Amino acid sequence: MIESVIELLKVIFLGIVEGITEWLPISSTGHMLLVDEFLQMNITPEFKDMFLVVIQLGAILAVVILFWEKMWPFQKKTPTQPAVRWDTIQMWLKVVVACIPGAVVTLLFDDYIEAHLHTPTVIAAALILYGIGFILIENWNKTRTPKVNTLEEITYRTAFLIGLFQVLSIIPGTSRSGSTIIGALLIGVSRVAAAEFTFFLAVPVMFGLSFVKLLQFGFTFTSAEIWTLVVGCLVAFLVSVVVIKFLMGYVKKHDFKVFGWYRIVLGAVVLLYFTLR
């Protein structure tokens, strides 16, 4: 009984970590791998590999619900409004364009990355490197005026360039949202538009990765495994709702440098710990 409660608390904690780190540019994968290093769950390696990815579905559901009106193109609020919002469909086509580079690289190198780069040293180095990147880019941005201020102003070319930056997130510790936001800021997208496009971009990416992991694992679960998935996703969803609302309010008034400093400190602590261990 006590062991079951402890395992449940571990799942809840992982759900909290996922919900917080998935949307802040501090690397959810990096945090989940590091937490797993200290918080060993009593599950099979195959299930754990799948769980650490599929738990992201809870975080994605939060985005879909919070941004439903912006994401769903088939809405008619008044008699004068069209039933199909073509600007929303165009946005999803831009998201598809942005997903192409990452999809190609993931299919080609995902197995190699998982086998060789999912290490504390790589995670720590990525945390520090991109933390420095955030600080330098935000300092540089002080003298610049964004060329793109809204989602609607993002072109197919801009979407593809952001997608190229997202490729960097295949390295653990980089952060999918972090690499996307850094790329968007570099090419002149405002913080708010960059954050919103990150949310759009995360939906097909995470659904795709989760589907692949589920296929690789198979669809035969024990009752304990089902409850682990359900609880993890539910907690990630609830925490994500709070974090997304916080982030959208935060970026309207502040820059991303605080996340850069956090990444540097965390990366240094991780590097020091595993060096001295």
Side-chain angles (χ1 to χ4, degrees):
M1 178 64 179
I2 295 177
E3 289 184 0
S4 298
V5 172
I6 292 175
E7 289 302 309
L8 177 62
L9 291 175
K10 289 179 181 179
V11 174
I12 291 173
F13 185 73
L14 284 170
I16 292 172
V17 173
E18 167 62 25
I20 293 174
T21 60
E22 186 60 56
W23 306 114
L24 302 182
I26 54 178
S27 177
S28 63
T29 302
H31 278 77
M32 295 291 277
L33 291 173
L34 292 172
V35 169
D36 180 63
E37 179 74 24
F38 300 100
L39 199 70
Q40 295 293 328
M41 297 177 66
N42 188 25
I43 54 179
T44 65
E46 295 78 16
F47 179 77
K48 182 175 69 174
D49 179 58
M50 181 271 296
F51 171 75
L52 293 178
V53 174
V54 176
I55 192 176
Q56 297 173 342
L57 289 178
I60 277 299
L61 182 59
V63 166
V64 173
I65 290 177
L66 289 175
F67 288 85
W68 179 255
E69 288 192 5
K70 284 191 174 184
M71 290 186 169
W72 186 247
F74 306 108
Q75 297 180 36
K76 188 175 183 180
K77 294 183 178 179
T78 67
T80 58
Q81 278 188 320
V84 178
R85 297 189 305 179
W86 293 106
D87 57 334
T88 304
I89 291 178
Q90 278 199 339
M91 178 53 61
W92 280 116
L93 291 175
K94 294 170 187 176
V95 168
V96 171
V97 169
C99 286
I100 292 173
V104 172
V105 173
T106 298
L107 288 173
L108 292 176
F109 300 107
D110 188 51
D111 290 340
Y112 178 86
I113 296 293
E114 284 197 12
H116 298 88
L117 297 185
H118 280 225
T119 66
T121 302
V122 172
I123 292 171
L127 284 168
I128 294 171
L129 178 63
Y130 286 91
I132 294 172
F134 265 115
I135 294 170
L136 293 177
I137 290 169
E138 285 291 19
N139 285 335
W140 180 50
N141 267 345
K142 286 181 179 179
T143 59
R144 302 170 69 218
T145 301
K147 300 176 184 176
V148 178
N149 292 287
T150 65
L151 277 177
E152 292 72 23
E153 294 176 14
I154 293 177
T155 64
Y156 285 96
R157 178 179 178 275
T158 299
F160 183 74
L161 290 175
I162 293 174
L164 290 177
F165 279 96
Q166 187 186 229
V167 170
L168 299 172
S169 67
I170 194 173
I171 300 174
T174 299
S175 169
R176 190 162 26 249
S177 61
S179 59
T180 304
I181 290 171
I182 279 182
L185 293 177
L186 278 173
I187 59 180
V189 180
S190 70
R191 296 186 190 96
V192 173
E196 289 186 346
F197 192 72
T198 297
F199 297 149
F200 269 82
L201 194 53
V203 173
V205 170
M206 289 187 194
F207 270 121
L209 288 174
S210 297
F211 182 69
V212 169
K213 287 295 182 182
L214 284 170
L215 282 179
Q216 292 174 344
F217 180 79
F219 291 90
T220 54
F221 301 96
T222 65
S223 59
E225 289 172 341
I226 291 174
W227 278 110
T228 298
L229 276 177
V230 170
V231 172
C233 288
L234 178 60
V235 174
F237 164 74
L238 295 174
V239 175
S240 290
V241 169
V242 176
V243 172
I244 291 168
K245 289 182 176 180
F246 159 77
L247 182 62
M248 292 313 299
Y250 181 88
V251 297
K252 291 176 181 178
K253 300 177 181 179
H254 306 87
D255 58 30
F256 288 103
K257 283 197 290 187
V258 65
F259 301 114
W261 286 113
Y262 171 82
R263 291 176 65 104
I264 292 171
V265 172
L266 178 62
V269 170
V270 170
L271 202 56
L272 183 63
Y273 172 82
F274 284 98
T275 300
L276 298 177
R277 190 181 65 169

